[in-house]
Amino acid sequence: MPYALLLAMQASGMIFDYMGTQSQEEMNNWGNKIQEAGIEANINLTRLETETETVESMKNLRKNLGSQIAVYAARGTALGAGSALTSLNQSVGSYKADERTRRMNLMGKENQLRTGAAITRLDNMTENTKLWKSFGQRSLNRFGTSQFTGKFGLTNIGS
């Protein structure tokens, strides 16, 4: 067979290899985007759960304060002084402490999920780098030089 035909066949193989590698990279990128969308959805779900807990806690606080006010009104105790004021302030203080704890937990969960997203991006970049490195090695291995004839050969270096 003529060398030109063999070189043309080898070049077409390299083109298909290039297109396949490019397609694999695109698939990796699509998978990464889907995974990041899932992580973003988890972050939003975590925020929603925290907001729901906050609303429920606020409802409970309002019920608690309403009950305390009703009890003190029935006793004829003034709300602006003494144990009545202390009791109301304790309820509000407990709510605020719980809310701070909820916010801190939310930030921790969000940071954990965002760290997972960053690791996913790094893994995707690593996989794409491996793909292209492998393509480069395959391409270089196709063009070996023959020690015996001094001509440009078509066999793999390892063969």
Side-chain angles (χ1 to χ4, degrees):
M1 283 191 142
Y3 281 116
L5 178 62
L6 293 175
L7 283 173
M9 289 171 55
Q10 189 168 8
S12 67
M14 289 176 64
I15 290 170
F16 279 107
D17 189 15
Y18 174 81
M19 290 169 48
T21 302
Q22 196 173 31
S23 176
Q24 283 180 307
E25 181 184 34
E26 287 175 15
M27 287 298 190
N28 284 349
N29 291 340
W30 277 101
N32 185 51
K33 286 179 184 178
I34 290 169
Q35 200 163 9
E36 284 186 8
I39 291 170
E40 195 61 37
N42 285 340
I43 288 172
N44 289 331
L45 181 63
T46 302
R47 286 179 183 165
L48 180 62
E49 288 171 353
T50 301
E51 292 300 321
T52 302
E53 289 174 17
T54 297
V55 168
E56 288 302 314
S57 181
M58 190 174 287
K59 285 180 183 177
N60 289 337
L61 174 66
R62 291 180 74 185
K63 286 179 187 177
N64 187 4
L65 291 178
S67 297
Q68 287 178 359
I69 290 170
V71 166
Y72 290 127
R75 289 183 188 166
T77 306
L79 291 176
S83 63
L85 181 62
T86 302
S87 175
L88 293 174
N89 285 339
Q90 282 179 340
S91 294
V92 172
S94 293
Y95 167 79
K96 287 181 180 179
D98 290 345
E99 183 62 21
R100 279 192 301 273
T101 302
R102 266 192 294 283
R103 293 294 169 199
M104 293 297 290
N105 288 338
L106 173 63
M107 287 187 337
K109 288 176 186 176
E110 278 189 31
N111 286 338
Q112 183 179 14
L113 290 169
R114 290 193 192 286
T115 300
I119 289 171
T120 298
R121 279 191 299 275
L122 289 173
D123 286 343
N124 182 51
M125 287 190 287
T126 300
E127 288 301 315
N128 288 342
T129 300
K130 286 179 186 177
L131 278 174
W132 287 108
K133 180 181 177 186
S134 176
F135 169 76
Q137 287 174 339
R138 287 189 309 271
S139 297
L140 288 175
N141 285 342
R142 291 190 199 279
F143 295 107
T145 55
S146 175
Q147 297 175 3
F148 301 108
T149 63
K151 292 185 179 180
F152 197 71
L154 296 176
T155 60
N156 285 339
I157 291 174
S159 300

